[in-house]
Amino acid sequence: MSSADSERGARRSGQRLLAFAILAALLAALLPVARVVQSGAWLIGALALAALVLAAGYNARRLRLPAVAVTLIELAVWVVFMTLVFLRDTALLWVIPTLDTFRAVPILIGNATEEITLGAAPLEPTLSLAFVVVGAMGLLTIIVDHVVVTARMPLLGSVGIIAVSLIPAIAVPGDVDVMGFVFLAITILFLIRSETRSREKPLEREAERTAGVPATAVGIGAIAIVVAVIFVTVTAF
């Protein structure tokens, strides 16, 4: 195998690892939602949509498509999934949105808003709530994928994920979920390290194994940022 083939293989491996790291971080941000909405099929649906979006982005980048095309493909996956799962009765062939499909969306969002406003946590996982949670998870995945993979800003993506994970805790005050914060911190560190590693060439990785300086610097910086965010969050409660 030539050095070029080896480098391409290493790059693809790094991109797959990065996609998995993003999915893990999104899962850590999604779990606190169970404090607001009872666990149900929406959790599986949200993870499935996130995985499909990330897979679509990974394969589009393998074809060396422009960043705009990658985002449009991910949006198409989001539309097809949401239509098939929630709005297929109004769509052509279950996946092609129609005017009735677009008319149904504000109704579902309005119903979910009313249930959140008038209900008490944990809420029953109705169709409207599931639509909003799953749809929001899919859109968050597209945004994080673009910020982390395309724009190469893992810290910004991590801050966004942390902010989303705090929404349920703010909406439903209670005891601090220490294990949840630890899991979130681990996945954020994994995400930052995976993004850094996806940039490195094989020779640079070999040098890193010898020196260990880049990895140590990234690790210390990431830990400092995550610990600071968690400390501020915990003290706020």
Side-chain angles (χ1 to χ4, degrees), residues 38-74:
Q38 294 177 9
S39 299
W42 63 266
L43 181 58
I44 299 175
L47 288 177
L49 178 54
L52 288 173
V53 167
L54 291 172
Y58 167 77
N59 286 292
R61 291 185 181 94
R62 282 191 62 185
L63 299 175
R64 299 184 180 279
L65 297 179
V68 174
V70 173
T71 301
L72 290 176
I73 289 173
E74 292 178 338

Side-chain angles (χ1 to χ4, degrees), residues 36-131:
V36 181
V37 182
Q38 294 177 9
S39 299
W42 63 266
L43 181 58
I44 299 175
L47 288 177
L49 178 54
L52 288 173
V53 167
L54 291 172
Y58 167 77
N59 286 292
R61 291 185 181 94
R62 282 191 62 185
L63 299 175
R64 299 184 180 279
L65 297 179
V68 174
V70 173
T71 301
L72 290 176
I73 289 173
E74 292 178 338
L75 283 171
V77 170
W78 183 87
V79 170
V80 169
F81 184 93
M82 295 297 293
T83 303
L84 177 63
V85 173
F86 296 100
L87 301 165
R88 58 180 175 272
D89 293 338
T90 66
L92 293 175
L93 302 177
W94 291 2
V95 295
I96 303 176
T98 64
L99 289 177
D100 290 336
T101 304
F102 292 110
R103 293 191 188 102
V105 172
I107 297 175
L108 288 172
I109 296 176
N111 291 339
T113 302
E114 183 178 354
E115 291 170 7
I116 294 172
T117 303
L118 302 178
L123 300 170
E124 181 181 351
T126 61
L127 177 65
S128 300
L129 284 174
F131 176 83

Side-chain angles (χ1 to χ4, degrees), residues 22 25-27 29-30 33 49-50 53-54 74-75 78 132-148 156-165 167:
I22 294 174
L26 290 171
L27 170 61
L30 180 65
V33 179
L49 178 54
V53 167
L54 291 172
E74 292 178 338
L75 283 171
W78 183 87
V132 170
V133 173
V134 174
M137 181 66 169
L139 293 176
L140 176 63
T141 304
I142 295 173
I143 294 171
V144 172
D145 180 73
H146 178 79
V147 171
V148 174
L156 180 59
S158 299
V159 170
I161 292 173
I162 293 172
V164 170
S165 71
I167 294 176

